[in-house]
């Protein structure tokens, strides 16, 4: 028969994995909704510019995950050894690195955005729409990175359910705001970008 300790570890593993999968499904749904609303509300040009912008967003998101998951993993290892003081230092340093990185990306991204969009192959109206979308996203980079850091740390601090709830609510809010900003408000790509940019702010509010 399996020991009680083994069964407990298995239950925790299943809990963490299932909640992570649920979070990923929520993210996939909002990306699908974002694509749908832009395709129908802005048109083919908007969808094309989104495909250009998504590469920049993915790069930014990967940096956020790298900082957040890397720091949270070290945090969890320190806590498992009972070194709470160093774990707290790891958390503080990770947040500071995330904020500094986010500010650097926001400044440099907005400064060189036309050149970046052009280097990715955007021209004419596609370049204009890409710039309109990414200028908002770049401006909210510190929130995007900080949100991924907080999600990773809170999940590794024994609260995976809270992290998942925050992500699911923020993703659902993104879908609702996408519709409101694109259709009733008529903000096209700016509205789609603003809905995406406000999503981590909503998540951080819940996590706080």
């Amino acid at each position: 028969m399996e020991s009680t300790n083994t069964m407990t570890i298995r239950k925790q593993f299943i809990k963490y994995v299932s909640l992570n999968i649920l979070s990923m499904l929520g993210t996939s749904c909002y990306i699908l909704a974002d694509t749908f609303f832009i395709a129908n509300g802005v048109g083919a040009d908007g969808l094309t510019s989104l495909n250009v912008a998504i590469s920049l967003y993915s790069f930014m998101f990967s940096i956020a995950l790298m900082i957040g998951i890397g720091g949270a993993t070290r945090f969890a290892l320190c806590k498992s050894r009972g070194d709470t003081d160093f774990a707290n230092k790891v958390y503080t340093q990770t947040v500071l690195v995330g904020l500094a990185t986010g500010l650097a990306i926001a400044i440099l991204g907005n400064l060189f955005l036309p050149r970046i969009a052009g280097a990715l192959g955007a021209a004419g109206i596609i370049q204009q729409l890409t710039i309109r979308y990414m200028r908002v996203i770049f401006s909210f980079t510190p929130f995007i990175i900080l949100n991924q850091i907080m999600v990773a740390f809170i999940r590794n601090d024994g609260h995976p359910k809270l992290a998942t709830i925050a992500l699911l609510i923020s993703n659902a809010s993104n879908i609702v705001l996408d519709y409101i900003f694109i259709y009733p408000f008529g903000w096209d790509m700016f509205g789609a970008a603003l809905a995406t940019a406000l999503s981590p702010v909503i998540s951080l509010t819940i996590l706080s």
Side-chain angles (χ1 to χ4, degrees):
M1 295 180 64
E2 292 182 322
S3 64
T4 304
N5 186 46
T6 302
M7 292 178 64
T8 301
I9 293 174
R10 179 173 295 179
K11 287 181 180 179
Q12 287 182 341
F13 177 78
I14 294 173
K15 177 182 179 181
Y16 274 82
V17 171
S18 59
L19 289 173
N20 280 333
I21 292 174
L22 186 60
S23 298
M24 292 173 64
L25 288 174
T27 302
S28 299
C29 287
Y30 104 72
I31 292 175
L32 180 62
D34 208 33
T35 305
F36 174 81
F37 288 134
I38 289 176
N40 287 273
V42 183
D45 289 339
L47 188 58
T48 303
S49 64
L50 177 64
N51 288 328
V52 175
I54 202 68
S55 59
L56 293 174
Y57 183 77
S58 297
F59 172 74
M60 182 193 312
F61 197 74
S62 65
I63 292 177
L65 289 176
M66 179 180 66
I67 297 173
I69 294 176
T73 300
R74 193 174 185 188
F75 168 84
L77 290 173
C78 292
K79 285 202 66 178
S80 67
R81 294 195 297 262
D83 194 352
T84 305
D85 290 337
F86 192 74
N88 290 334
K89 290 180 180 178
V90 170
Y91 167 74
T92 302
Q93 291 172 356
T94 304
V95 170
L96 292 176
V97 169
L99 287 174
T101 304
L103 288 172
I105 293 176
I107 294 171
L108 294 175
N110 277 305
L111 190 62
F112 297 104
L113 185 51
R115 294 183 182 180
I116 296 173
L120 291 173
I125 185 63
I126 304 301
Q127 185 178 24
Q128 295 176 20
L129 292 174
T130 301
I131 292 173
R132 190 179 305 171
Y133 185 91
M134 284 308 303
R135 197 169 296 283
V136 178
I137 298 297
F138 273 135
S139 299
F140 278 78
T141 303
F143 295 101
I144 294 172
I145 293 180
L146 186 59
N147 179 54
Q148 292 304 317
I149 290 174
M150 295 303 298
V151 166
F153 271 86
I154 287 176
R155 182 183 289 124
N156 284 13
D157 199 30
H159 300 281
K161 186 177 294 185
L162 175 60
T164 300
I165 289 173
L167 287 175
L168 290 178
I169 292 178
S170 64
N171 290 336
S173 301
N174 191 350
I175 295 174
V176 174
L177 291 175
D178 258 332
Y179 173 80
I180 294 174
F181 291 162
I182 293 176
Y183 291 105
F185 286 13
W187 288 351
D188 54 71
M189 294 300 290
F190 170 79
L194 185 60
T196 300
L198 289 176
S199 178
V201 177
I202 295 172
S203 177
L204 285 169
T205 303
I206 297 170
L207 293 172
S208 65

